[in-house]
Each structure stands twice: as structure tokens, then as C-alpha cells.
Amino acid sequence: MQPADLDEALTEQFEINRELWEVALEPWGSGVLPSAYELARARRSLQETLPNEGLGFAQTRDHILNDVVPGLNAASLSPNYYGFVTGGVTPAALFADNVVSTYDQNVQVHLPDHSIATDVEYRALGLLTDLLRLDRQIWQNGTFTTGATASNIMGLACGREFVLRAAAERRGSPVTSVGEYGLFEVMQAAGLSGVQVLSTMPHSSLGKAAGVLGIGRANLKSICSTSQDDNNPLEIDMQLLERELARPDRASTVAISCGEVNTGRFATTGIQQMQEIRRLCDKYGAWLHVDGAFGIFGRILYHPFSPEFSSITKGCEGMELADSITGDAHKFLNVPYDCGFFLCRHPSSGLAEDVFRNPNAAYLSSGKATATDTIPSPLNIGVENSRRFRALPVYASLVSYGRNGFQDLLQRQIRLARMIADWLFDHPAYTVLPTSRTKAELLHKTSMIVLFRANDETLNQELSKRINGTSKMFVSGTVWEGKPACRIAISNWRVDEQRDFAIVRNVLGRVAQM
């Protein structure tokens, strides 16, 4: 491509972006999923072999817009896409993401004389801690990742480094860093036979992280209470927790589910419980990690306090006592995929650097920190070297909407979820899960997610397929207590309680009569 052609292509690209923005920002009224015809047509249009002569920009543009785009779902565009806690893309985030693509910064090394990209990321982390009502002096340490999976890998990796380092140091061994010496060597030095992760109903990404890090998926252990006296499936058995932490042959990380994926509920119920967990972790040298995914954003409801959301604010209390917190910006913050975050309150200990340091790359020597640097090079504290400038849409969203804007969004999402749960509780064809003794109890515990199943077994086996087949809304199929169930996860910024409730009620009402 010649420079003149490039200039022309960029000009045309800006015009296409403008058109796409207009489509993306207008009220969404089309089907949530593409039709079978649109999917088949889009697949047939895809090039099977690489041509010797390219199609050129104009023809490729038309191919993408006319053939490929109709085969994509409206996960981020439609407020009625309730699968996978997808979220959407706010106008501010969409604008910033186009700037990200145009300027294409590789945010791996802090080069203050070259770019402010790392400054933007650092400030965005600070604004995020403000939103989550965390002490910026303690928590403005972390990085943006591809999502909760990468963030949970970082949390467990830092936890593994912390607990094994402490165990090896107690035995007087100089072999203390897993990042430097390897897992087997440090475990031998520490006199341990294994590392374990203790949690209640953890997200699957924690199991994946345990597998990646050599901890082992089999060592992700449940500490769920078997009593279920208060109908909380995430309840922690505190006696079991202490027995596991006290094992002399194991080092432990405790992972708190702050927003369980199927129900949206919380593993803890207030500051006193978190204080006790913190005490036990300190007593036995364990790392305390919070998988905040989307539930951690309930902290923005603290002020002004409202009894309407007390179960959610109680579930988020004490998260500042953790050692690390992960969350997804591409969920509640409604920024484009992919974007997660990892926060750690131990910057001075060098845990992240010991695990993720990028060694022996001479061409990156200019990225070494100096004594006056407050911003670390991201490649030394995270999984990736090459990194997209994903912090800019986060920064733009936080600046654009502020604490009150996100608080309003979360309140609308919760109120819609409770309207749906209220209606389903009385519907003879459906049961809301986990089962509640009273409607008041159900509504009190409902946050952004409604889990339910059909009472008729035949209908329940294909319930998600029938709902999604209407293309008016989309739900995730899941399993609860060994049986199929459906999950409505409300996370899009376009949510409108009355309009969206009417759509959900009409679809589920018709499906129940099929």
C-alpha cells in the first residue's frame, strides 16, 4: 500500500467509524441474535483461501459491513442480551476505544518522554479505586488485564509467591521466590507438599488459574458450609476454613467470591465476617484474594446508604482487608472487550515484580524504573509484554460518568433484576433459584442476576434454546444442583426497567405456553 492510498484509506476509515458509532449509539431494536439465514450467509462469504491479489480496502470494507457484521450477535448493543454478564460499550468508551485503535500504543514500558499512555493507566487505576471506595494510598497498585481470568492468575500467582516465600524464610532458606527458582524448588525449601486455594463456589477461571500456575485444579477446595441454615449456598464454614489453614503441609490462598457467577450473591455478609477471615489468614500466613468480577462494584452503593441495597453493600463490606482484588471492566464499567483489572495492596514487597519481571531484554532497558519513578513498567507487573491501551476507555468512562453515573446504572440494573424475580416468584411455570422461603427474602438478596428454571422438566431441558430462539432476548444456559437452569445477567448501560421488564415478561410468558 502506498502512502497516498493509506491516507485515503484512513480518511474513509474515519467516515466508516462515524457511521458505525451512529448505529451503535441509536436505540437498539433488532434481534439479539442473527437469524439462521444470516449466520449461514455470513459463513459462506468468508474467504477460504488467501488470494494472490488482495481485494483492496473498499471491497474488504463492503465485505465486512455487508457480509460479516450481519452474522454477529448484539451482545453489547442490545440491553436484552443477558448472557455472560457481557455489559455494553458506553459512548465515552466507544470513542476512546477508537482512539486506542488509531494511535495503537503498546503500553508495556513506562517511557515518560515518549508517551503519557502509562500515566493514563496509572490515573485510571486511581480513579477506579475511588469508584470502589478503596484507599488510593494502599490500592492504586495494579494493572489492566484481558479479563478476570488473567487477573485471577495474577492474584493466585502473587498469593503463591507470598505464602511460599514466607514459609521458606521461616526455615531460613535463601530459595524463596517461585518466579526465580521455580515451584518445586521453593516448596522443597519451605518443607511443604502442596499449595491450595480455599473458596466457596468459585468461578471456573480460578480453577484455570490453579492449573496454569502448577497449584492444580484438584487443590481448589470447597469450604462451603453444609448447614445452609440461612439458605446461602456460598456460606463459608469457618471451622473448616481454619482446619485447612492450619495444615502444616500446605500453604493456602483464600479466595472470596464477591458476586457468584450463577446467582450474583456474595460469600460474605458483613465486615465482621471479613475481619475474622483476615484474622485467620494472618494467623496461618495465608493470602486473601477477592474475585470481584462484577460484584465488587456493589461498593459504589455505600453512600448514601439505602436499605434497598443493604444485602449488596453488606456483601461488599471488608473487601479492603484482602491482599488482592480482581474485577472485570468489560462487565459493569461497560468498556469494550477485553478489559479486566488487578489490584494489590503490597507494592513495596515486590511480589508482582518477583513473579512477572521481564528479564534480560536489552532493548527494554530504558524501561527500568528510577528512584523517582512512581509508575512501574506494566510488563514487569503483569502477564503480558505487548499490551493494548485498554486503560483509555476505562479512564474515559470514569471521567465521563463519575461515581453518580455508575451508581445510577447499578441501581437500575438491580431494580430490573428484582422486578423480574418478583414476577417469576409468582409464576406457576417457573422457580427462581436458589429457592427462597419468601418473596421478600428473594428480592432482598437479588442483585444483577436472576437464576431460574421451568417447573416442567421437558420445557426446562430446552428452556434457554426456546427463549433465545425468539431473538427478543438472550439468556445463558447453566446448571444448578445438577439440573438445567437459565441465567438473566443484567449489565448493559442501556437498561430501562419498565421497557426491558415488559420484554422479559412477554417472552417468558409466551415460552411457558409453548
Side-chain angles (χ1 to χ4, degrees):
M1 176 177 285
Q2 298 300 314
D5 296 330
L6 179 60
D7 290 342
E8 183 180 346
L10 285 174
T11 300
E12 200 159 359
Q13 174 188 322
F14 288 138
E15 181 61 25
I16 292 295
N17 283 344
R18 185 187 64 78
E19 294 174 0
L20 288 174
W21 291 342
E22 290 176 354
V23 171
L25 297 178
E26 68 184 8
W28 188 255
S30 302
V32 176
L33 299 180
S35 67
Y37 169 77
E38 288 170 325
L39 288 169
R41 180 179 175 277
R43 288 194 178 98
R44 286 195 304 269
S45 76
L46 298 177
Q47 297 290 311
E48 294 185 1
T49 59
L50 181 66
N52 290 327
E53 297 296 331
L55 299 177
F57 175 75
Q59 193 171 342
T60 301
R61 174 204 61 197
D62 292 342
H63 167 55
I64 297 297
L65 292 176
N66 299 328
D67 299 329
V68 176
V69 168
L72 304 178
N73 66 44
S76 291
L77 296 175
S78 171
N80 306 119
Y81 187 94
Y82 301 123
F84 311 108
V85 202
T86 294
V89 183
T90 63
L94 180 61
F95 165 74
D97 198 59
N98 278 273
V99 173
V100 170
S101 294
T102 301
Y103 283 87
D104 201 24
Q105 306 286 286
N106 183 4
V107 190
Q108 60 171 328
V109 181
H110 177 51
L111 299 172
D113 295 333
H114 297 186
S115 172
I116 68 162
T118 47
D119 299 79
V120 172
E121 178 160 334
Y122 185 72
R123 294 296 178 89
L125 288 167
L127 297 176
L128 181 60
T129 60
D130 291 345
L131 181 70
L132 297 177
R133 300 191 182 276
L134 297 169
D135 186 341
R136 185 186 283 222
Q137 298 301 313
I138 297 173
W139 284 100
Q140 193 179 359
N141 317 291
T143 189
F144 289 103
T145 69
T146 56
T149 299
S151 296
N152 279 328
I153 288 173
M154 290 190 65
L156 295 195
C158 288
R160 181 190 64 180
E161 187 80 4
F162 176 85
V163 297
L164 291 180
R165 176 198 288 181
E169 288 176 346
R170 284 195 295 270
R171 291 169 61 94
S173 172
V175 179
T176 59
S177 172
V178 175
E180 189 67 29
Y181 298 101
L183 180 60
F184 180 74
E185 285 79 0
V186 179
M187 283 181 58
Q188 277 195 318
L192 298 171
S193 62
V195 181
Q196 62 185 4
V197 180
L198 309 174
S199 189
T200 59
M201 300 185 70
H203 189 267
S204 60
S205 62
L206 275 172
K208 187 171 188 174
V212 168
L213 294 169
I215 295 171
R217 287 181 289 275
N219 290 312
L220 177 57
K221 297 181 180 179
S222 173
I223 49 171
C224 283
S225 171
T226 57
S227 66
Q228 300 296 310
D229 289 338
D230 64 349
N231 195 36
N232 178 17
L234 279 82
E235 181 185 2
I236 297 171
D237 185 328
M238 300 298 287
Q239 292 182 335
L240 175 59
L241 170 61
E242 183 162 17
R243 285 200 301 272
E244 288 292 338
L245 291 176
R247 290 184 58 173
D249 61 328
R250 296 296 174 104
S252 301
T253 288
V254 179
I256 303 296
S257 297
C258 188
E260 190 269 332
V261 67
N262 276 311
T263 64
R265 297 188 182 182
F266 302 87
T268 56
T269 56
I271 185 66
Q272 292 81 11
Q273 193 175 14
M274 278 298 293
Q275 288 171 336
E276 176 62 11
I277 294 170
R278 178 74 267 174
R279 184 188 71 81
L280 291 174
C281 287
D282 290 341
K283 178 179 179 180
Y284 296 104
W287 182 266
L288 182 54
H289 174 67
V290 170
D291 181 2
F294 51 89
I296 193 71
F297 292 102
R299 291 177 65 88
I300 69 176
L301 299 172
Y302 280 3
H303 299 287
F305 175 78
S306 169
E308 180 183 3
F309 307 112
S310 60
S311 67
I312 298 168
T313 53
K314 288 287 186 183
C316 295
E317 276 185 353
M319 296 303 150
E320 68 277 4
L321 301 176
D323 296 297
S324 57
I325 296 174
T326 66
D328 267 341
H330 57 223
K331 286 185 169 65
F332 175 70
L333 287 186
N334 278 242
V335 300
Y337 274 83
D338 50 19
C339 187
F341 60 86
F342 172 75
L343 302 173
C344 178
R345 69 178 179 96
H346 298 279
S348 59
S349 63
L351 284 169
E353 290 87 344
D354 283 347
V355 177
F356 300 107
R357 182 182 301 114
N358 192 79
N360 305 324
Y363 71 100
L364 295 176
S365 59
S366 60
K368 292 181 179 178
T370 67
T372 58
D373 277 337
T374 58
I375 301 176
S377 287
L379 85 169
N380 287 324
I381 57 171
V383 175
E384 305 155 307
N385 281 10
S386 300
R387 301 170 74 249
R388 179 175 170 82
F389 190 16
R390 58 176 67 92
L392 185 60
V394 175
Y395 176 84
S397 289
L398 292 170
V399 169
S400 178
Y401 306 111
R403 181 179 288 112
N404 290 342
F406 283 108
Q407 185 178 73
D408 172 70
L409 171 58
L410 182 56
Q411 289 174 346
R412 285 186 284 120
Q413 291 171 343
I414 296 169
R415 286 166 180 156
L416 173 58
R418 290 179 174 179
M419 291 170 70
I420 295 169
D422 188 334
W423 180 77
L424 285 171
F425 186 88
D426 294 325
H427 200 290
Y430 298 109
T431 295
V432 187
L433 304 168
T435 54
S436 300
R437 289 180 287 266
T438 66
K439 182 189 291 187
E441 177 188 60
L442 167 67
L443 299 183
H444 178 67
K445 293 182 176 181
T446 298
S447 57
M448 299 159 52
I449 291 179
V450 180
L451 184 69
F452 66 103
R453 67 163 53 106
N455 297 328
D456 180 84
E457 287 298 324
T458 301
L459 174 59
N460 195 52
Q461 290 296 322
E462 53 182 29
L463 182 58
S464 63
K465 182 179 179 180
R466 291 192 184 184
I467 293 171
N468 297 339
T470 68
S471 201
K472 298 295 184 183
M473 58 181 280
F474 181 92
V475 299
S476 296
T478 186
V479 175
W480 186 260
E481 297 178 335
K483 294 182 179 180
C486 290
R487 186 189 68 161
I488 294 175
I490 302 166
S491 57
N492 194 287
W493 67 276
R494 301 171 188 261
V495 65
D496 178 284
E497 298 106 303
Q498 298 300 326
R499 177 201 64 200
D500 296 332
F501 173 62
I503 292 172
V504 172
R505 182 185 59 200
N506 291 338
V507 170
L508 296 184
R510 289 201 306 271
V511 167
Q513 297 172 358
M514 289 183 178

